[in-house]
Amino acid sequence: MTAIYANDIDYGTPARVSGRTVTLTIDGMPVSVPEGTSLMRAAAELGVGIPKLCATDNLEAFGSCRLCLVEIEGRKGYPASCTTLVENGMKVRTQTPKLADLRRGVMELYISDHPLDCLTCSANGDCELQDMAGAVGLREVRYGFDGKNHLKAVKDTSNPYFTFDPSKCIVCSRCVRACEEVQGTYALTIDGRGFDSVVSPGQLQPFMESECVSCGACVQACPTATLMDNSVIEAGTPDRSVITTCAYCGVGCAFEAEVKGSQVVRMTPYKNGHANHGHSCVKGRFAWGYATHRDRITKPMIRKKISDPWQEVSWEEAIGYAASEFKRLQQEYGRGSVGAISSSRCTNEETYLMQKLVRAAFGNNNIDTCARVCHSPTGFGLKATMGESAGTQDFDSVRESDVIMIIGANPTDGHPVFASHMKRRLREGARLIIIDPRRIDLVRSPHVEAQYHLKLRPGTNVAIVNALAHVVVTEGLANEEFARARCEVDSYEQWKEFVSRPEHSPEATEEITGVPAAEVRGAARLFATGGNGAIYYGLGVTEHSQGSTMVMGIANLAMATGNLGREGVGVNPLRGQNNVQGSCDMGSFPHELPGYRHVLDDPTRALFETAYGVALDPEPGLRIPNMFDAALDGSFKGLYLEGEDIAQSDPNTQHVTASLEAMECIVVQDLFLNESAKFAHVFFPGSSFLEKNGTFTNAERRISPVRKVMEPLGGKEDWEITAELSAALGYPMPYRHPSEIMDEIARLTPTFTGVSYEKIDRLGSIQWPCNDKAPEGTPVMHRETFVRGKGRFMLTEYVATEEKVNRKYPLILTTGRILSQYNVGAQTRRTANVDWHEEDRLEIHPHDAEDRGIKEGEWVGIVSRAGETTLRARVTERVQPGVVYTTFHHPESGANVITTENSDWATNCPEYKVTAVEVMPVFHSSEWQSRFKQFTEQQLALLDARARA
Ligand code: SF4
Ligand code: SF4
Ligand code: SF4
Ligand code: FES
């Protein structure tokens, strides 16, 4: 197979880090390695491959297969090289006639209980057992197959993505160890002893009934065809691979897309990926089939009215029509009557071009991005306090953390690969504080237990962070030296006085937050005194009316405790979508040019005016909610929407759809006829991440390559479509390749000046800032000084949300995601991931359910001040009394029909996490759901009419 970055060496055991070096001789060759290294790894460093089956270099050595025996001068016997550590002066021999004999004997025993169907086996050519039989020179098997064997063992095909065929199992335990060490789920064990040993998911259950979360680590680890991807079983082994980056969450895992012809056969997590180190989750590993799903729209389409059937047209006609409509609207209604919304699912290059089109071709600043509805408060809060709108650490930093505080995030579902990484550190002894209204899995999972779970009422984050700060300051636990040396002393003093006030004490805030004061005090003491303290947070922080305030509160806490500027600490937003960080970096907000520079700033605007060759509007443009309001008041008429499904993802659906209906030209660029496209007049077929070149920037500011694996089904990469639309609007963008777009970004953005495709390909990925000061990027920020110079403490007064519970709406609804699905579900709903989550459900506490006569699995109506929908109930103690919870992955659920338009005071990020509702048993769907169903059927019929035309 060919790979762009070929480093497929398996060193057998993990690398060790040590200040001491050990020198020894292997097969007459001297080698020096860190103390603690295995003989197997030392040999591999020399290029000497020792036969092995149970060892692989992402798992600790186990020493079960006895194939890796070596001879050591002066020692008796034949020790296993995977479990024997190097010693100074050792003389080791890896190849002798005796060793060859022993290894052949071991292999013979394995093969005598293994099907001899290599030629027809799905792993043929990609099987370590087969390779080892060749490596040890096994030519015959003396033992017959008549005795007791496992050849008739029954396959487990319960998992939609991989098959478990125990007849091929050599009981090497790599799968079991991968599930424990890499994934941290502990779903597998070896059941029985000796000959009867078998791999057992759960209690000898099928995989789908066990605790397995389908991350694929065991499949990856299996050296035989026992655990095998169904896609490989069906299509055969791949013949080439391309390194690219997962298009789902903000972890940004690197994958080898393995391809046969133009067909993707397997997505293998890339061992040298800096964000994932060879691990994956069910989405990136298996849920890529949507890219070739039959629902893909691959021809451009237009229509005059949304009640007309779609008409397939040429690219030229579709782009020409869209451009003429936008021009008409600007002539009739003014320059500001059109705008665009880009998506965090797009590449950096695509989002950059979207904002450039709006600013240079539309001539206004009406560009916004879906980060508005997730992490815009992160940008605001971190910029205000530390001077940079991004997380401070790389993921690997967590290896040095002693106390991990997770606020409003659910990493095992939202950021699963990082969660596995974090769990490894927790198993090593780091302590855990969770601040979340809901009992997320990390509160208690195998070998991981939170020391504190502050189960606060939704909407009271700021009160909690102030109470934590109160304890830190009033109990003398602040890191005065750090705070005074690194931060503005005036702001520090003011903040100390503010948080020390009695009203911020845990005792005073207990009434507001519902969290016992003693727990808040304990958590604050642990965080301030437990060593390196790292804070990870998610949308449970940002999606509130005080989202920006809370981000500043978190930054204050980190600055006051000295937890910034080195490994193991920091303030780390866990970004939801793959390119939330990048879309913000690229100037997708209406008030900011790329690199977070305000449009009002004359020198910045002058720089871009020179580069773009046009005058730029100095007035900030419309944010997404303002676009909706302006559409309803008749001043906003045309929208270019790339990769974003606002009709499903934005709050108060009925308001959003009314705004869409009020516009005269909506252009949607996407893979599928999503909810927003049902209101569109022009459809440009977009390209999936497998069909284009570009880059994504993950939650740790890591710019990673997205590389074309197959040709775009619609014929064009997304950046090409935007460039052609711009040209049709009269502003040509003559790029030949996205690398040229990145070169332009680098020229215009100080934090990106050192970034290029050549460097990304050479290093694998780059964390910005990357410039003369940091030519290979910056894993940890704010080391010596903060980006803004001195850190600035901000006062964070708690203001209760206007969304109040009362007798009519006595419960608080909060929302979140689930592991198997991704946001609006447009991609994951078109994969077998629906086997795990086929519908959104409403979690409700048993007390609240009983009060209302609600039983598990029954339909319930949920009514808020904004609207009403129905879901089936899941009665569970995961939520506290008074709080209900749902996911929002299925459009017909209408989760956003209920959410309101309340939003963050600074950024308008919607308050998805707090909606006052009432819940009651119902027997029919809501009025909105009936209308939704009817509208969807009508729109699908209009789409079908296109085929007939
Ligand atoms: S797929 Fe992942 S979670 Fe499931 S058994 Fe394998 S390693 Fe464990
Ligand atoms: S399933 Fe594969 S990895 Fe697991 S014990 Fe069997 S051969 Fe080894
Ligand atoms: S953790 Fe995120 S980036 Fe990694 S494979 Fe899963 S969805 Fe993709
Ligand atoms: S590889 Fe060393 S005992 Fe299996």
Side-chain angles (χ1 to χ4, degrees):
M1 273 197 287
T2 54
I4 292 180
Y5 316 104
N7 184 358
D8 296 333
I9 299 167
D10 183 347
Y11 292 86
T13 62
R16 295 289 179 236
V17 181
S18 170
R20 291 200 201 146
T21 300
V22 172
T23 301
L24 66 161
T25 314
I26 299 177
D27 293 338
M29 294 176 278
V31 61
S32 297
V33 289
E35 190 176 53
T37 302
S38 71
L39 290 181
M40 178 178 277
R41 188 169 181 110
E45 302 273 358
L46 276 174
V48 174
I50 299 176
K52 62 180 181 59
L53 278 172
C54 70
T56 187
D57 61 9
N58 67 339
L59 301 174
E60 292 301 325
F62 192 58
S64 71
C65 76
R66 311 301 296 166
L67 200 62
C68 67
L69 310 180
V70 290
E71 291 178 9
I72 303 174
E73 198 174 288
R75 289 206 193 171
K76 282 190 187 160
Y78 305 94
S81 60
C82 62
T83 49
T84 308
L85 303 187
V86 292
E87 288 175 25
N88 268 320
M90 253 182 180
K91 289 196 170 64
V92 181
R93 285 199 291 172
T94 70
Q95 304 294 339
T96 68
K98 182 63 188 171
L99 289 172
D101 218 32
L102 288 169
R103 288 175 187 154
R104 268 195 297 276
V106 171
M107 277 308 294
E108 201 176 349
L109 283 172
Y110 277 122
I111 300 297
S112 68
D113 188 13
H114 195 88
L116 294 180
D117 61 352
C118 286
L119 282 182
T120 53
C121 176
S122 53
N124 188 19
D126 188 17
C127 169
E128 291 181 41
L129 188 69
Q130 191 182 45
D131 294 348
M132 288 306 121
V136 304
L138 186 70
R139 296 289 171 260
E140 58 168 343
V141 177
R142 286 166 295 171
Y143 319 111
F145 289 88
D146 311 332
K148 223 174 150 197
N149 60 46
H150 298 90
L151 301 181
K152 294 217 166 64
V154 180
K155 286 182 190 173
D156 173 357
T157 55
S158 62
N159 186 292
Y161 294 122
F162 60 83
T163 295
F164 175 54
D165 178 357
S167 74
K168 295 185 171 164
C169 180
I170 58 171
V171 202
C172 65
S173 175
R174 271 163 65 162
C175 53
V176 177
R177 287 177 286 141
C179 193
E180 293 175 4
E181 294 175 30
V182 178
Q183 165 59 20
T185 292
Y186 292 75
L188 301 178
T189 50
I190 300 285
D191 189 81
R193 293 174 147 236
F195 177 83
D196 294 323
S197 307
V198 284
V199 172
S200 161
Q203 308 294 313
L204 286 172
Q205 294 160 299
F207 270 82
M208 279 301 267
E209 288 173 25
S210 73
E211 296 293 303
C212 169
V213 292
S214 201
C215 71
C218 56
V219 182
Q220 191 68 14
C222 182
T224 66
T226 313
L227 283 162
M228 181 55 90
D229 299 68
N230 289 345
S231 55
V232 176
I233 295 173
E234 280 154 24
T237 43
D239 50 33
R240 70 186 169 93
S241 70
V242 178
I243 308 296
T244 191
T245 303
C246 179
Y248 283 119
C249 86
V251 177
C253 297
F255 277 86
E256 283 180 82
E258 297 187 272
V259 186
K260 201 179 179 68
S262 61
Q263 181 189 0
V264 177
V265 172
R266 177 166 57 195
M267 292 293 281
T268 302
Y270 184 45
K271 191 174 160 183
N272 297 320
H274 297 129
N276 58 323
H277 304 291
H279 191 32
S280 59
C281 82
V282 61
K283 293 191 285 291
R285 177 72 163 84
F286 296 117
W288 37 268
Y290 71 87
T292 49
H293 192 276
R294 61 180 180 281
D295 289 352
R296 278 285 298 270
I297 296 174
T298 54
K299 299 247 169 54
M301 307 186 299
I302 59 172
R303 58 181 176 179
K304 286 249 179 305
K305 301 193 298 293
I306 67 165
S307 52
D308 289 346
W310 283 103
Q311 230 191 310
E312 283 181 355
V313 293
S314 66
W315 271 109
E316 205 177 14
E317 195 175 339
I319 288 171
Y321 180 73
S324 68
E325 280 294 279
F326 284 134
K327 283 187 199 162
R328 174 183 72 79
L329 292 172
Q330 287 192 297
Q331 265 162 17
E332 279 181 37
Y333 301 100
R335 199 174 59 175
S337 63
V338 298
I341 300 173
S342 65
S343 170
S344 298
R345 279 189 266 179
C346 302
T347 63
N348 284 317
E349 294 74 4
E350 289 157 10
T351 44
Y352 175 83
L353 283 202
M354 287 284 281
Q355 66 84 34
K356 183 171 179 180
L357 176 141
V358 168
R359 299 188 207 279
F362 285 169
N364 61 42
N365 289 309
N366 293 336
I367 175 74
D368 209 353
T369 169
C370 60
R372 165 78 49 219
V373 300
C374 70
H375 266 287
S376 48
T378 286
F380 185 90
L382 297 186
K383 181 119 187 164
T385 47
M386 295 189 272
E388 192 55 272
S389 302
T392 60
Q393 311 294 120
D394 61 353
F395 288 142
D396 286 353
S397 158
V398 79
R399 291 179 187 165
E400 306 289 325
S401 301
D402 301 307
V403 183
I404 296 169
M405 183 183 279
I406 302 174
I407 312 176
N410 184 4
T412 51
D413 282 60
H415 303 86
V417 165
F418 176 63
S420 292
H421 205 49
M422 186 187 267
K423 282 203 275 186
R424 186 184 280 229
R425 180 66 193 139
L426 291 166
R427 289 196 302 274
E428 288 168 359
R431 284 163 302 165
L432 178 62
I433 299 165
I434 292 176
I435 304 180
D436 201 293
R438 201 164 151 263
R439 199 189 67 225
I440 59 170
D441 284 346
L442 275 174
V443 171
R444 191 167 197 181
S445 59
H447 304 279
V448 168
E449 183 157 10
Q451 272 63 43
Y452 292 96
H453 175 201
L454 310 186
K455 219 193 269 181
L456 77 177
R457 288 198 187 102
T460 62
N461 284 333
V462 173
I464 276 279
V465 84
N466 286 345
L468 291 167
H470 177 92
V471 178
V472 169
V473 170
T474 57
E475 295 192 9
L477 307 176
N479 186 334
E480 291 288 330
E481 194 186 331
F482 180 95
R484 289 181 184 284
R486 295 283 309 269
C487 305
E488 290 173 358
V489 175
D490 285 357
S491 73
Y492 179 49
E493 291 295 350
Q494 281 166 12
W495 176 78
K496 277 189 6 173
E497 187 278 317
F498 168 77
V499 295
S500 302
R501 293 179 197 161
E503 68 260 32
H504 298 308
S505 72
E507 290 70 22
T509 47
E510 185 173 325
E511 182 79 5
I512 300 167
T513 63
V515 182
E519 289 187 30
V520 178
R521 287 199 178 270
R525 288 171 193 148
L526 175 60
F527 186 73
T529 62
N532 282 342
I535 303 175
Y536 295 87
Y537 71 87
L539 303 181
V541 159
T542 54
E543 289 177 344
H544 286 276
S545 58
Q546 283 202 289
S548 294
T549 315
M550 181 60 183
V551 173
M552 293 189 283
I554 290 171
N556 291 340
L557 189 64
M559 291 189 295
T561 51
N563 280 310
L564 286 160
R566 60 182 189 280
E567 278 78 14
V569 298
V571 174
N572 306 284
L574 292 172
R575 308 279 186 162
Q577 304 200 74
N578 50 331
N579 201 34
V580 181
Q581 182 67 57
S583 70
C584 300
D585 301 341
M586 292 299 110
S588 302
F589 288 127
H591 65 293
E592 276 173 348
L593 286 155
Y596 303 98
R597 287 164 295 167
H598 209 284
V599 290
L600 283 172
D601 181 54
D602 290 338
T604 303
R605 224 176 43 258
L607 175 75
F608 280 86
E609 285 179 339
T610 308
Y612 291 0
V614 290
L616 298 180
D617 186 347
E619 281 303 309
L622 298 174
R623 296 173 173 184
I624 294 173
N626 307 137
M627 290 181 193
F628 296 152
D629 293 343
L632 286 174
D633 76 20
S635 59
F636 190 74
K637 291 288 184 181
L639 182 64
Y640 175 28
L641 200 55
E642 183 182 341
E644 189 53 22
D645 193 0
I646 49 177
Q648 190 182 342
S649 63
D650 285 36
N652 197 346
T653 307
Q654 300 182 86
H655 180 71
V656 176
T657 52
S659 322
L660 292 174
E661 275 177 295
M663 291 187 220
E664 291 183 21
C665 178
I666 295 176
V667 177
V668 168
Q669 185 167 318
D670 216 296
L671 305 182
F672 306 106
L673 192 84
N674 60 19
E675 299 314 307
S676 306
K678 290 171 187 163
F679 296 88
H681 307 88
V682 179
F683 189 93
F684 293 154
S687 44
S688 76
F689 79 114
L690 294 168
E691 298 157 51
K692 58 192 173 192
N693 290 302
T695 53
F696 293 147
T697 306
N698 75 353
E700 37 163 18
R701 297 170 276 104
R702 186 181 299 287
I703 309 162
S704 299
V706 178
R707 294 293 178 261
K708 198 194 295 191
V709 174
M710 57 195 235
E711 287 305 313
L713 299 188
K716 289 187 196 295
E717 297 183 35
D718 286 286
W719 67 269
E720 294 177 291
I721 304 167
T722 305
E724 287 178 29
L725 176 61
S726 184
L729 286 164
Y731 184 79
M733 292 187 183
Y735 305 102
R736 288 162 301 177
H737 189 270
S739 60
E740 296 177 358
I741 305 173
M742 180 54 83
D743 292 342
E744 181 173 312
I745 296 165
R747 277 198 302 277
L748 293 168
T749 316
T751 43
F752 274 68
T753 51
V755 179
S756 68
Y757 273 34
E758 179 278 321
K759 196 183 279 184
I760 292 171
D761 284 344
R762 181 158 44 83
L763 301 178
S765 60
I766 302 170
Q767 284 176 271
W768 68 259
C770 174
N771 44 31
D772 288 347
K773 278 198 220 150
E776 299 208 337
T778 311
V780 174
M781 292 183 75
H782 313 297
R783 274 190 187 275
E784 307 299 329
T785 55
F786 287 101
V787 169
R788 69 183 300 281
K790 296 275 187 187
R792 182 170 179 202
F793 284 83
M794 304 291 288
L795 302 190
T796 53
E797 190 71 64
Y798 167 69
V799 179
T801 168
E802 286 172 16
E803 183 67 6
K804 302 266 193 286
V805 290
N806 58 17
R807 281 179 59 193
K808 195 170 174 198
Y809 305 110
L811 303 171
I812 296 179
L813 170 78
T814 187
T815 60
R817 279 182 285 178
I818 198 161
L819 169 66
S820 54
Q821 295 289 339
Y822 178 69
N823 279 15
V824 296
Q827 295 144 291
T828 43
R829 279 187 283 109
R830 291 180 170 94
T831 70
N833 278 27
V834 287
D835 291 7
W836 284 273
H837 185 83
E838 57 178 358
E839 62 177 355
D840 297 315
R841 288 222 183 179
L842 186 82
E843 291 186 1
I844 182 165
H845 190 274
H847 292 167
D848 292 326
E850 198 184 334
D851 284 352
R852 290 165 176 77
I854 293 167
K855 299 213 172 52
E856 172 71 26
E858 287 182 352
W859 287 98
V860 292
I862 307 127
V863 192
S864 75
R865 293 180 179 97
E868 180 178 357
T869 192
T870 60
L871 294 171
R872 286 204 292 156
R874 175 166 294 131
V875 180
T876 170
E877 290 185 359
R878 276 175 84 101
V879 286
Q880 53 182 295
V883 176
V884 290
Y885 167 89
T886 187
T887 49
F888 48 82
H889 303 302
H890 294 265
E892 63 276 14
S893 304
N896 281 324
V897 174
I898 329 168
T899 51
T900 66
E901 283 175 77
N902 291 343
S903 64
D904 174 45
W905 62 271
T907 65
N908 275 147
C909 180
E911 192 175 33
Y912 289 112
K913 303 295 182 190
V914 188
T915 309
V917 296
E918 177 56 300
V919 175
M920 75 292 290
V922 290
F923 300 99
H924 51 77
S925 50
S926 72
E927 200 188 314
W928 177 86
Q929 280 167 315
S930 305
R931 269 188 282 126
F932 172 83
K933 188 163 175 275
Q934 200 183 11
F935 182 63
T936 299
E937 280 166 7
Q938 180 205 358
Q939 286 301 318
L940 291 179
L942 295 173
L943 185 67
D944 278 353
R946 145 209 73 154
R948 284 199 296 279

